[in-house]
Amino acid sequence: MKTIKYLAIAAAVLAASSCLNESAELPQTDGKVFTAAFADGETKAVLKPGVETSAVEWETTDHVSILAGESNWDYAAQTAGTATTLKYVSESAQGDKFYALYPYDATATLADGVITTVLPAEQTAVPGSFSAHMAVAYTETNALAFKNVCGLVRVKVMSEGVTKVVFEGKSDEYVAGKIAVTVADEPTWIATAESSKTVALVAEEGKTLAKGDYYLATLPQRFSAGFTVKVYCGETLAQTKDVAADLTLQRCQVVPGSVGFDVESIAPTIATVGETITVTGYGFTADTKVKINGTEATVSVTSSSSLAVTVPSGLSKATDYKLSVEVPGFDAVETEPFRYFYLPEYTSKTISVKYTLNDTEKTLVPEGLALTSDGYMWITDRNSSPHVLLKVKLSADSYEVALVVSAGSYPFGCDVDSNNDIYVAAKTGKGVGAVVNGSWSITQYTEYLNNPMDLVFGDNDNMYVASRDNGKIVCLTGTPKVYTVYRPTALALDHSQTKIFFGTGAKAETDTDAWYLHMLDLETGEVTPVAGSNIKPKSGTYTNGAVGNTLSAVVGNIGGVYCCSDGYVYYTDQGSHALQVVIPGVGGDYTKGIVKTLIGVLGSAGSDEIGSSAAPTGKLKTPSDVEIDANGVIYIAGNSNKVIRVLTPKVN
């Protein structure tokens, strides 16, 4: 049989051009020997399976009928390739005018230049090729230039379990079976009483068709009313596809088609309840269904290659799910996963904290925040004179000052250890401050720290400090361990205690590695960007980036970072005046996730509450630190407008 080579693309020449030398030298033999090649060239609409070459090649298993008068001799190909030598099997051809038929048909007859033969109405499927083919030739020498008789229907099988594909015209056209072929430069055919109105592609006995391309040899003609393709899985009719268009299948032409269905991709790969995921593929029907985690989703079939799927409720946040696509008659196909995320709606309130120091009432200018396990919050104030630390009972509606501590050295970010003792990054003191017996105390680490901006405690009370001006994150517990990074300003440990998320304080717009939220691997020391595009936020650049690509967002100087157990990383963006959250994508990959604004209008400072008519998403002004309690209540230090913003999740 013929094999199509170089299946790199979906179209290659069914037959290669060949110039046959009328006096070609042949091997010495006692009988008639022929050369054989294909004469159809690329001037026709032809199948092109390859880029480098296009060829239907001979195989040494190929046999050809050589016909003259009432004789039909069996000739075999001697070599493989685009051209071959044909030698008789048992008896040499006699005469001076010869007709040829590929493949050999012992029942074929010749009369007045017309060969009567059979194009099988049932053809065994061959991946990437075809099992049935018909070509004819005429010569008065020893050179045979074969011409194709058939066209091909390409069948793209996209579902598992298919055993048979049946093609038929819608106007009772004959497409295979016994026919009479007139051998000429442009071969023609006519039907006989034994012609067939269907032609079938069948799997080998006991097997099914693997996904991929197959070719079905079909008699060329016009299908004025279109055609029908029926797909079987075993004995069950799984799918019927009707094509109503007026179509002409030319000799040597390939008509593409597909059966079953398949899924190519989904977008986006991160979504929440009520959002739409677009599924791209082939063979979708009006009754296509989609399930997510066993729950049937609302589906809009926009075309046979596109589905719009609405994400249902009841899924778990920070979890990957696959969509199960079901087309009647076929096994369900799962898509690649998407990451489900969820964010509640929030209400916001503003609290202005008053305190008394040295008999003078003052308004707190909050900088760093640290929640204790017993319900208190420590707040640093590096703007008031003197600098102070406050310990308060804070709720969404009120506060109660429990302790006021005078401090120094510009106290910035802070955290509490396992005993709820407060420690503070003492910026100008190049050290760490603490409250000891109700008073401020500082320990300097001048060898390691230069303008420390924040600190955080991990397991076993390991303390990590962000030293901005010398570009270090230092673990000061035990023997200090130093990590070199870019100007860290705010820190948060993930819940595995193996990574630190940190923001930066850029000096110049052109600083390399400046405008990002970074992640530090504490085991390897590797630093990777989590969000940001190294573009300074300013007029015309504010954006949260594309869904599924956090590295297209614009990230400014970061005042505070908080990481929840679900992997969501919250940060205050002082350049954009917003509280942002980075939600990881599939597999926990942050760069494939999404950046969302919880409160703020990017690039617009203000004090509006969420839900206000002027700014429905609320506004912030150069926010500093951020903390989140066990109930999901978010606290934001509003340094510039001397308030604490409290975001309370709505109860659904």
Side-chain angles (χ1 to χ4, degrees):
M1 82 176 176
K2 306 296 173 293
T3 57
I4 304 177
K5 289 198 131 188
Y6 304 103
L7 290 171
I9 59 176
V13 172
L14 178 63
S17 298
S18 175
C19 294
L20 296 175
N21 189 331
E22 292 292 321
S23 59
E25 288 190 16
L26 296 174
Q28 295 296 320
T29 178
D30 294 334
K32 189 72 173 177
V33 177
F34 298 89
T35 60
F38 285 88
D40 285 316
E42 296 190 37
T43 55
K44 301 290 184 185
V46 290
L47 176 69
K48 265 190 156 175
V51 176
E52 298 176 37
T53 187
S54 16
V56 173
E57 296 202 340
W58 295 94
E59 294 181 329
T60 54
T61 54
D62 286 337
H63 285 246
V64 170
S65 287
I66 301 295
L67 301 111
E70 296 182 356
S71 298
N72 182 349
W73 294 280
D74 183 4
Y75 270 65
Q78 301 301 295
T79 58
T82 55
T84 190
T85 300
L86 299 175
K87 185 178 180 181
Y88 61 87
V89 173
S90 59
E91 183 181 349
S92 175
Q94 303 294 322
D96 54 8
K97 295 180 180 180
F98 300 97
Y99 290 83
L101 168 69
Y102 174 85
Y104 174 73
D105 177 5
T107 66
T109 60
L110 173 68
D112 298 326
V114 176
I115 300 174
T116 301
T117 185
V118 175
L119 175 66
E122 192 168 274
Q123 302 172 16
T124 302
V126 177
S129 189
F130 48 86
S131 62
H133 178 49
M134 184 181 291
V136 293
Y138 171 77
T139 185
E140 295 181 10
T141 63
N142 58 9
L144 292 169
F146 280 85
K147 295 274 189 171
N148 298 309
V149 174
C150 302
L152 293 179
V153 175
R154 188 191 72 186
V155 179
K156 185 179 184 67
V157 176
M158 300 182 297
S159 295
E160 304 287 353
V162 175
T163 55
K164 182 170 67 173
V165 179
V166 179
F167 175 94
E168 61 181 309
K170 299 183 78 171
S171 296
D172 290 332
E173 292 91 348
Y174 291 104
V175 292
K178 195 169 186 177
I179 57 172
V181 180
T182 299
V183 182
D185 286 341
E186 188 69 26
T188 58
W189 64 274
I190 60 172
T192 73
E194 298 176 52
S195 294
S196 173
K197 295 179 181 178
T198 63
V199 59
L201 182 75
V202 296
E204 293 183 26
E205 187 174 352
K207 296 183 179 181
T208 60
L209 301 181
K211 290 183 179 180
D213 289 342
Y214 301 84
Y215 295 89
L216 190 61
T218 307
L219 295 174
Q221 61 195 287
R222 179 185 178 190
F223 295 93
S224 59
F227 59 87
T228 299
V229 177
K230 295 181 179 179
V231 185
Y232 291 84
C233 295
E235 298 299 319
T236 303
L237 176 61
Q239 184 181 51
T240 299
K241 299 188 72 172
D242 284 310
V243 177
D246 186 341
L247 173 73
T248 298
L249 174 63
Q250 303 281 358
R251 187 181 69 84
C252 296
Q253 185 186 29
V254 177
V255 173
S258 59
V259 298
F261 81 100
D262 202 2
V263 170
E264 281 191 332
S265 63
I266 62 171
T269 56
I270 180 169
T272 190
V273 59
E275 292 185 339
T276 298
I277 295 176
T278 298
V279 182
T280 302
Y282 304 94
F284 301 140
T285 61
D287 47 5
T288 298
K289 295 181 179 180
V290 175
K291 293 180 180 178
I292 302 176
N293 197 37
T295 300
E296 188 168 330
T298 300
V299 179
S300 173
V301 182
T302 55
S303 72
S304 62
S305 59
S306 181
L307 305 173
V309 181
T310 303
V311 178
S313 60
L315 304 180
S316 299
K317 65 187 297 191
T319 303
D320 293 341
Y321 293 96
K322 294 182 178 181
L323 286 69
S324 178
V325 183
E326 301 176 3
V327 172
F330 299 99
D331 294 336
V333 174
E334 287 190 333
T335 68
E336 61 184 301
F338 80 98
R339 171 59 64 101
Y340 178 79
F341 77 92
Y342 175 76
L343 289 172
E345 294 182 358
Y346 291 91
T347 59
S348 68
K349 288 192 176 181
T350 300
I351 297 177
S352 178
V353 177
K354 308 289 184 180
Y355 67 95
T356 300
L357 183 65
N358 299 327
D359 298 324
T360 302
E361 185 179 79
K362 297 189 175 186
T363 299
L364 182 71
V365 184
E367 182 69 40
L369 306 176
L371 285 166
T372 67
S373 61
D374 55 356
Y376 288 90
M377 177 179 283
W378 283 97
I379 308 170
T380 66
D381 180 346
R382 50 96 178 182
N383 284 289
S384 297
S385 181
H387 305 148
V388 296
L389 275 65
L390 261 64
K391 184 179 182 181
V392 301
K393 273 282 188 181
L394 190 65
S395 70
D397 300 301
S398 63
Y399 68 93
E400 178 183 342
V401 177
L403 180 64
V404 180
V405 179
S406 294
S409 303
Y410 283 84
F412 264 75
C414 57
D415 199 9
V416 294
D417 65 8
S418 59
N419 296 315
N420 285 326
D421 292 329
I422 184 68
Y423 291 82
V424 183
K427 181 174 180 282
T428 58
K430 298 184 179 181
V432 174
V435 175
V436 179
N437 297 322
S439 298
W440 172 256
S441 174
I442 184 171
T443 302
Q444 289 189 312
Y445 296 91
T446 56
E447 180 181 352
Y448 300 103
L449 305 182
N450 186 0
N451 279 353
M453 303 295 289
D454 196 12
L455 60 81
V456 64
F457 281 99
D459 291 342
N460 303 316
D461 283 337
N462 291 324
M463 181 172 64
Y464 298 87
V465 184
S467 181
R468 186 190 67 187
D469 287 12
N470 62 347
K472 308 293 183 184
I473 294 177
V474 185
C475 179
L476 290 175
T477 304
T479 302
K481 184 172 182 179
V482 179
Y483 301 90
T484 300
V485 300
Y486 178 85
R487 293 177 63 83
T489 57
L491 304 179
L493 269 165
D494 78 338
H495 279 251
S496 71
Q497 305 287 306
T498 61
K499 296 176 177 61
I500 283 181
F501 297 93
F502 69 94
T504 62
K507 294 181 69 175
E509 183 173 344
T510 57
D511 283 2
T512 303
D513 292 332
W515 310 102
Y516 290 104
L517 173 67
H518 290 281
M519 181 173 66
L520 167 67
D521 189 311
L522 294 174
E523 296 178 357
T524 66
E526 181 182 5
V527 176
T528 55
V530 167
S533 51
N534 209 33
I535 297 174
K536 180 181 179 179
K538 59 183 180 179
S539 179
T541 69
Y542 299 107
T543 177
N544 285 341
V547 175
N549 180 13
T550 61
L551 299 184
S552 61
V554 170
V555 175
N557 286 335
I558 292 176
V561 184
Y562 189 92
C563 183
C564 287
S565 59
D566 54 20
Y568 291 20
V569 181
Y570 299 76
Y571 67 93
T572 54
D573 192 319
Q574 297 180 324
S576 296
H577 306 288
L579 174 64
Q580 307 281 69
V581 57
V582 181
I583 302 170
V586 172
D589 186 338
Y590 284 92
T591 64
K592 294 180 180 178
I594 189 172
V595 178
K596 302 286 284 186
T597 300
L598 297 185
I599 180 173
V601 176
L602 299 184
S604 179
S607 57
D608 302 74
E609 300 291 2
I610 292 175
S612 68
S613 57
T617 59
K619 285 188 176 182
L620 298 177
K621 183 179 181 181
T622 322
S624 297
D625 207 359
V626 58
E627 278 279 281
I628 304 177
D629 70 15
N631 296 315
V633 177
I634 301 174
Y635 302 89
I636 305 166
N639 179 283
S640 294
N641 45 15
K642 302 181 181 181
V643 296
I644 292 177
R645 304 296 293 275
V646 183
L647 274 56
T648 304
K650 292 182 179 180
V651 178
N652 293 331

